[in-house]
Amino acid sequence: MLKRTGIFAGADPFVIAQRWLGEAEATEPNDPNAVALATADARGLPNVRMVLLKEITADGFVFYTNYDSAKGNELAASGQAAFVMHWKSLRRQLRVRGRVARFEGPEADAYYASRSLKSRLGAWASRQSHPLSSRAALMAEVAKVSARYGTNPPRPPFWGGFKITPVEIEFWADGDFRLHDRFVWRREAPELQWEIERLHP
């Protein structure tokens, strides 16, 4: 069995990821849960943008967005994505690739309700990724939805979570002279067992 000690120790990659994120929350100055999320459009052209990871579950990674956005449409069409988290303060990164599905229901409702009122109203007002004539037009839409929903807007039907169920997770830590430590967990499908390898830097 491949020996892994120190920051790489553990039998469950999701627990290791949670631990690393917890350590980053104590050291990163801003948004330790920021991930660069990669998707591809219908032509296969890659797309990447920053989103905030909101939960690491026992079997996946969850973030929230507008389902009608560019990323939402690309995720729905392909059913797969990748992301990387990089923590400069820890000199570590986490890479994930896998399958994607909507993450809705009570969990999405609860997260939406936990957001600030302005963010909840903004979710209703913004047609994310679509053309916008002016900021004034956006603020006018915010005013309209504010008048309509008041202080308790429901979660929009076009807004919710996505969960990435990985088939690959890589843990990377910086090493002297670029002799980094890398361990990758791979499986052909989410229901199968992980295989773990150490990679060259």
Side-chain angles (χ1 to χ4, degrees):
M1 185 173 184
L2 184 64
K3 186 176 181 181
R4 290 172 294 105
T5 60
I7 62 172
F8 296 100
D12 185 330
F14 300 103
V15 173
I16 300 172
Q18 289 168 341
R19 186 174 70 237
W20 281 28
L21 178 56
E23 292 171 9
E25 288 170 348
T27 60
E28 286 290 300
N30 293 299
D31 297 330
N33 61 329
V35 307
L37 177 73
T39 59
D41 67 15
R43 298 168 294 168
L45 188 65
N47 225 341
V48 66
R49 79 289 284 161
M50 303 305 294
V51 301
L52 295 179
L53 186 70
K54 289 300 179 180
E55 186 178 0
I56 301 176
T57 69
D59 62 353
F61 299 85
V62 178
F63 63 93
Y64 293 85
T65 192
N66 185 313
Y67 291 139
D68 294 330
S69 65
K71 78 174 90 60
N73 287 321
E74 289 168 4
L75 290 166
S78 73
Q80 55 192 4
F83 73 75
V84 61
M85 304 180 83
H86 180 229
W87 299 295
K88 288 186 177 182
S89 63
L90 297 177
R91 299 170 71 177
R92 299 181 206 168
Q93 72 177 21
L94 174 69
R95 296 177 59 236
V96 171
R97 299 197 298 164
R99 301 177 182 175
V100 182
R102 285 194 181 191
F103 188 75
E104 297 185 283
E107 296 91 349
D109 293 338
Y111 172 67
Y112 179 80
S114 75
R115 304 176 88 211
S116 71
L117 175 59
K118 288 184 179 180
S119 293
R120 284 178 280 152
L121 293 170
W124 274 102
S126 174
R127 297 183 63 238
Q128 194 175 94
S129 303
H130 292 77
L132 175 65
S133 61
S134 67
R135 183 163 185 84
L138 175 62
M139 299 315 292
E141 189 62 28
V142 171
K144 283 170 58 177
V145 298
S146 297
R148 179 178 179 185
Y149 294 114
T151 59
N152 192 29
R155 179 171 63 90
F158 53 81
W159 190 99
F162 279 105
K163 179 178 175 181
I164 300 178
T165 302
V167 294
E168 184 174 305
I169 304 175
E170 182 188 318
F171 298 91
W172 177 101
D174 182 71
D176 292 338
F177 311 110
R178 298 193 179 276
L179 298 178
H180 314 305
D181 286 308
R182 298 172 64 188
F183 289 91
V184 63
W185 301 59
R186 291 193 183 102
R187 56 188 179 181
E188 290 297 318
E191 63 273 13
L192 299 179
Q193 293 295 313
W194 292 106
E195 294 184 4
I196 310 169
E197 289 183 310
R198 178 190 276 273
L199 302 179
H200 278 269

